[in-house]
Amino acid sequence: MAIKVDYVVRETSTNLFRNLSITLASILTVMVSLFLLGMALTVNLGVNKATQRWQGGIEFIVFINPGATTEQVGAVDKALRESPEVEKLTYVDQNQAMEEFRSLFANQPELIDTVTPDILPPSYRVVPLNKSSDTVEALSEQYRGKPGVKSVVSATETIKLVQKLSGTLTVFMYVVAGVLLGASILLVLNTIRMAMYARRREIEVMKLVGATNWFIRVPFMTEGLVQGVIGAGLAIGLLVLFRPFYERIVPDPTQFPLFSGMVPASSELFGIYVVLAFIGCVIGTIGAGVAVTRFLDV
Amino acid sequence: MAIKVDYVVRETSTNLFRNLSITLASILTVMVSLFLLGMALTVNLGVNKATQRWQGGIEFIVFINPGATTEQVGAVDKALRESPEVEKLTYVDQNQAMEEFRSLFANQPELIDTVTPDILPPSYRVVPLNKSSDTVEALSEQYRGKPGVKSVVSATETIKLVQKLSGTLTVFMYVVAGVLLGASILLVLNTIRMAMYARRREIEVMKLVGATNWFIRVPFMTEGLVQGVIGAGLAIGLLVLFRPFYERIVPDPTQFPLFSGMVPASSELFGIYVVLAFIGCVIGTIGAGVAVTRFLDV
Amino acid sequence: MIKLDNVTKVYKGDVVALRNASVEIAKSEFVFLVGPSGSGKSTFIRLLNKDQTPSAGRIFVAGKDIGELSSWKVPYLRRNIGTVYQDFKLLANKTVGENVAFALEVIGRPRHVIQTQVPAILDLVGLGNKAGNFPHELSGGEQQRVSIARAFVNRPLILLADEPTGNLDPATSVGIMQLLDKINKTGTTVIMATHDRGIVDRMRRRVIELDRGEIVRDQVRGVYE
Amino acid sequence: MIKLDNVTKVYKGDVVALRNASVEIAKSEFVFLVGPSGSGKSTFIRLLNKDQTPSAGRIFVAGKDIGELSSWKVPYLRRNIGTVYQDFKLLANKTVGENVAFALEVIGRPRHVIQTQVPAILDLVGLGNKAGNFPHELSGGEQQRVSIARAFVNRPLILLADEPTGNLDPATSVGIMQLLDKINKTGTTVIMATHDRGIVDRMRRRVIELDRGEIVRDQVRGVYE
Ligand SMILES: Nc1ncnc2c1ncn2[C@@H]1O[C@H](COP(=O)(O)OP(=O)(O)OP(=O)(O)O)[C@@H](O)[C@H]1O
Ligand SMILES: Nc1ncnc2c1ncn2[C@@H]1O[C@H](COP(=O)(O)OP(=O)(O)OP(=O)(O)O)[C@@H](O)[C@H]1O
Ligand SMILES: [Mg+2]
Ligand SMILES: [Mg+2]
C-alpha cells in the first residue's frame, strides 16, 4: 500500500514539534557526539600528517644535497646499509618528497606551486637498533657533514611527546565519542519509543481502525531520521565554525614548526563531514528502526 | 499534608522501571558528562602540579647548593637582583621546596618520608625580561658554575608545549563537559517531562480525585534525583576504574621526568569525587524540579 | 449546600453550554439532571467540583464561593465531593483495588482503614472478585461500577454522578440506584445526570431539565419529560 | 457472512467471557446482543474483528477463518468491518473531522473523496458544526456519535456497534437507530450490543442473549427479555 507523502510529512512534523524539548535533547546529543568524533578525526589527521616522517620508529633522517654526485650518495647509502646499528632504512626520493610536501602543506596551495621536486632533498629515514637517545645521537653524528649530506635531523623529545600525547588524546576522544554515539542511538531510540509510548492508545486505535503497521511506523521512523540528520548537520556546522579557533589553538608553527601540517585542508575536512553526515543518518535510522519494531511487535 | 514515604518509594520505583530504557539513557548521559568533567579536573590538577615551578613566565631556575655559604648565596642573590635583564625573581627556601616536593609526590608518600627540608636545594625562579630562547640561554649561562650554585635548569620546549597543549586540552574538556552537563539537565528534565506527558491522563485524574500538586510531584522529583545520583555514582566508579589506566597513559616518568606529578593522590581525587556527586544531585533536582513545575502549572 | 447564582459557561468557539443557570440544592437532596445530548449536564456537574470554571456567575458549595478558592485548596474541595465521571476516569496503571484505594491514600487514610474499606465497597458494587484486575480488563459496566465505588469510598458530603448507569443493564442499574438511594439516605447530597427514563420515572425525585444550556424545568418529584 | 463455531474465550485469571458459542449470522441481518453487565457482549464483538483471539473454536467472516489470517492481513479485515466501541476509542490528538477522515486515509482514499464524505456523515449524526473540535471538547453523546460516523464512513460490509446509544438521550437514540436501520437496509450486516430495553422491544429484530458467557437465547424478532 502506498503511504502518502503528505501524510508522513504532516505526522512527522506534528510529532517533532509536540515533543520539542525531548527532540532537542536527542538532537543535541547526536550533535555533541558527532562533533567530538569530528574533532578526534581532525586532530588525528593533523598529527599523523605532521609526524608522518617520524612514524614507525624513525629516529633520524639524513637529507641528501639535491646536487650531490652519485658517488657521494653511493657512499652514504653504503655506510648506512652496512652499519650494524641500523635496523631499517627507507629511501625517499625527490618525487616522494614532493608527495609528502604536498600533503603537509595541503592547506597552503600557494606554497606548493612554488616548489618543484628537483629542489627538494631526497632522504634516508633511519630506524636504529638501539633507541636510547645517546646512541642515536652518536650514530646520527657519524653522517653529519659527510660529503653530499645536506643535514641530519633527529626526532626531538617534542616530536615523540606529541606523538604519544596526541595518540592518547585521540584514543580518548574516540572512546568518548563512541560512548556518546552509543548514547545517542539509545536516545533517539528512546525518544521514538517514548513518543510511541505516550501515544500508545492512539496507536492501538489506529490499528483497530485498520491501519497497517507500516502506516503507523513510517512517520515515527522519519522522525528518527530527521533527528539524526539535523544532529549531524549541526555537528558539521559547529566544526566549520570551530575551524578558525582550532587553527588558532594549534601551537604557533613559527614557534613549533612541527605543527604546520596540523591544520587540515578543506578537501580533507570535507571527507570527515561526509562521514559524520552518514553516521548521523545511521544513528537516526537504527534508533527509530529498533524502536518501531520492538514497540509494534508486542 | 504528610506524604507517606512508602507511597513515594513505590511510585518512584514503578516509574523508573516502567521507562527503564529512557531512564538508562539519561543516567548514561549524566554519567558521561560527569566522567568527562572528572577527567578534565584530574588532568588539570596533574598538569598544574607538574608544571607549578614553571608558571607565570619562569624561564629558568637557579638551584643553590644546600651547603653554600652565606656569602656565596649573597653574591648570587645580588647578581640576580641587579641584573637589568631579570624582570621578576622569586626565592623558594627549603621549607617551600619541601611543600612543593610534598605536593608533587603526594601519590608516593614513601618518597616523602625519605626527604627532609635540609637536603632540598633552595632556588631562585627567574622571569627574564626578554623571553627569546637565545637570550634566556645566555642569561642562565651566567649563573651556571658560580660558587654556591648547584645547577641551573631552563624551561624546555617540552614543558612549554605541555603547558600549552594541556591548557588547550582542559579548556576543551571543560567546554565539552559543560555542554554535556547542559544536555544532561535537559535530558533529566525531558525524561521526567515525558514520563509526566505519557501519564498526563493519570495526572489529570489524580487531581480530579483530590490529590494535591505535591502528592503528584514528589515521586517524579525523586525520580530525577535518583537519576542524577546514580549517574554521578557511575561516573565516580568509572573514574576509579579508569585510574590505573590513566596512570599508565601518562608519559612514563622515567622517560619524561616532568610527568611524575601528573598522577594525582587519592586525597585530591576524593575532592573531585565529592564535587561530581554534588553536581549529580544538582542536575537531578534542577531537571526534575523544572519539569514538574512547568508541567503542573499549565 | 449547593447554590448556582446566574451561572453561564461558554466554551471556546462560542459554545454556550450553560446559560444564566440559578439553582439551589439543599443538603441531602437527590436531584436528577436530564436533557438531550449536549444540553450541558456534564458541564453542570464539572462546574461543581471546579473541573471547569464558569464564564460568569458564582457557585457556592457548603456556603463557600468556590470561584474564590485559591488553587491549592481545590484538592480539599474535591475530597468532599465524590464524582462518577461519564468516561469513568480510572487510573490505567493501577488495579481496580488500587484505584479505589487511591481516593483514600490521597486524603492520608492509614493503611488498615484502606485495607478494610476497599474490599467492602467493591463487594457492594458486585466486583469483589475483580480487585486485582486492571481497568482495561473489565467490561464497560464493570469499569463504571469501579468509578462509583471510588467516588463513594471516602463518604463525601456530595456525590456527583454523570450517567452512572449508561453502561449497565436494567437489573444492575436497579442495584446501583438502590445503592445511591441508600447513600442519599445517610445524608449525602446526590446529583445525577441521566438519560434513563425508566429510572427517573420510577424514583420520582427532583428533576432539573436542561435544553441547550438553559434550565427549562425544575420539578419536585418529577418524571423524565 | 459470520459464523462462530464452538467459540470459547477465557481471559487470564480463568474468566470465561464466552463459552462454546455457535452462531451463524447471514448477510444483511440485524442482530441485537443483550445480557447483563459482564456477560460477554463486548467480547463477542471484539472477537469478530480480531481485537481478541478465541481460546478455542473457529470464527469465519465472509467465508474466511480469521484465526488463520496472517497478522499483516488483519488491517484489511478491519477495513471491511466498522466498529463502534463502547469507550469510543477516538484519536485524542485529532479533531472530529480528522478522526472520521482517518478511517478513509487508512484505506488510501483520495483527498477529494475524503473532503466530501466526512462532512456528509457528520451532518448525518448531527455534528456538522463540531468537525473542528477535539474529542475532549465534546459531550459524551457527541463523542459516541463521532464513533458511529467513523465506523460507517467507509461503508463497511459489517457494522459492529457496542452500546452505541449508551450515552444518548431517548430522542437522539431513536435517530441513531433509524440510521442503523437505513445502513442495514443497504445490505450491511449490523450486530449491536445494547442494554436499551426500549429499543430492542420496539425494533423486533433477531436477539441473541448472553448470560455469563453462554448463549441462552437466540430469537428471531425477539424482545429484550
Ligand atoms: N471542553 C470543551 N470545549 C468546547 N466545547 C465543549 C467542551 N466541553 C463540552 N463542550 C460542548 O458543550 C456542550 C455541552 O456539553 P456537555 O458535556 O455538558 O453535554 P451533556 O449534556 O453532558 O451531553 P451528553 O448527554 O451527550 O453527555 C456540547 O455542545 C459540547 O460540545
Ligand atoms: N482483557 C481482559 N482481561 C481479563 N478479563 C476480561 C478482559 N476483558 C473482559 N474481561 C472479563 O470478561 C467478562 C466479559 O466482559 P465483556 O466486556 O465481554 O462484558 P460485556 O457483556 O460487554 O459487559 P458490559 O455490558 O458491562 O459492557 C467480564 O467479567 C470482564 O471482567
Ligand atoms: Mg455528558
Ligand atoms: Mg461491554
Side-chain angles (χ1 to χ4, degrees), chain A residues 64-67 91-101 115-123:
Chain A
I64 303 297
N65 229 318
Y91 180 68
V92 175
D93 68 19
Q94 291 190 309
N95 287 326
Q96 288 166 326
M98 186 68 209
E99 280 303 295
E100 212 176 81
F101 188 87
V115 170
T116 52
D118 55 286
I119 66 161
L120 288 174
S123 60

Side-chain angles (χ1 to χ4, degrees), chain D residues 10-26:
Chain D
V10 185
Y11 286 111
K12 73 149 223 259
D14 292 333
V15 181
V16 184
L18 211 58
R19 190 191 305 272
N20 300 328
S22 292
V23 165
E24 219 166 315
I25 296 170

Side-chain angles (χ1 to χ4, degrees), chain A residues 50-84:
Chain A
T51 63
Q52 61 185 337
R53 312 176 151 184
W54 301 104
Q55 268 152 19
I58 290 171
E59 290 282 344
F60 66 94
I61 304 178
V62 179
F63 287 99
I64 303 297
N65 229 318
T69 64
T70 325
E71 291 85 58
Q72 285 172 338
V73 178
V76 173
D77 189 76
K78 189 149 177 284
L80 280 166
R81 275 190 208 291
E82 290 178 353
S83 167

Side-chain angles (χ1 to χ4, degrees), chain D residues 84-134:
Chain D
V84 183
Y85 292 93
Q86 194 167 5
D87 53 356
F88 319 148
K89 294 206 191 292
L90 300 177
L91 295 165
N93 61 340
K94 291 188 189 294
T95 63
V96 166
E98 287 167 353
N99 261 283
V100 178
F102 190 75
L104 293 173
E105 270 176 7
V106 150
I107 57 174
R109 281 291 146 83
R111 188 194 301 254
H112 68 270
V113 173
I114 296 178
Q115 274 166 352
T116 56
Q117 288 194 353
V118 170
I121 195 91
L122 283 178
D123 276 340
L124 209 61
V125 296
L127 292 176
N129 58 340
K130 298 276 181 190
N133 285 81
F134 287 93

Side-chain angles (χ1 to χ4, degrees), chain C residues 130 133 136-142 167, chain D residues 11 15 17 36-43 86 163 195:
Chain C
K130 299 278 182 189
N133 287 80
H136 73 265
E137 297 171 346
L138 300 184
S139 81
E142 288 163 348
N167 287 273
Chain D
Y11 286 111
V15 181
S37 174
S39 60
K41 303 179 294 299
S42 297
T43 301
Q86 194 167 5
E163 307 197 15
H195 289 309

Side-chain angles (χ1 to χ4, degrees), chain C residues 12 15 35-38 86 130 133-134 137 139-142 145 163 166-170 172 195 197 224, chain D residues 12 15 35-38 86 130 133-134 137 139-142 145 163 166-170 172 195 197 224:
Chain C
K12 72 150 225 259
V15 181
S37 174
Q86 194 166 6
K130 299 278 182 189
N133 287 80
F134 286 94
E137 297 171 346
S139 81
E142 288 163 348
R145 284 177 276 161
E163 307 196 17
N167 287 273
L168 298 176
D169 57 289
T172 312
H195 289 309
R197 178 196 305 260
Y224 187 80
Chain D
K12 73 149 223 259
V15 181
S37 174
Q86 194 167 5
K130 298 276 181 190
N133 285 81
F134 287 93
E137 298 171 346
S139 80
E142 287 163 350
R145 284 177 275 161
E163 307 197 15
N167 288 272
L168 298 176
D169 57 289
T172 313
H195 289 309
R197 179 195 305 261
Y224 187 80

Side-chain angles (χ1 to χ4, degrees), chain A residues 267-289:
Chain A
S267 63
E268 292 163 335
L269 285 180
F270 186 72
I272 292 180
Y273 297 160
V274 170
V275 169
L276 296 186
F278 178 74
I279 295 179
C281 296
V282 171
I283 289 176
T285 314
I286 292 183

Side-chain angles (χ1 to χ4, degrees), chain A residues 19-32 187 191, chain B residues 22 25-27 29-30 33 178-195 224 227 282-291 294:
Chain A
N19 309 315
L20 198 56
S21 57
I22 192 126
T23 304
L24 277 183
S26 86
I27 288 178
L28 271 186
T29 316
V30 172
M31 180 192 86
V32 171
L187 209 66
T191 310
Chain B
I22 193 128
S26 85
I27 287 178
T29 317
V30 173
S33 56
V179 170
L180 283 178
L181 277 185
S184 26
I185 292 186
L186 219 62
L187 209 67
V188 171
L189 193 159
N190 278 299
T191 310
I192 307 294
R193 275 193 59 173
M194 274 305 264
Q227 290 175 359
V282 171
I283 290 176
T285 314
I286 293 184
V290 173
R294 289 200 17 207

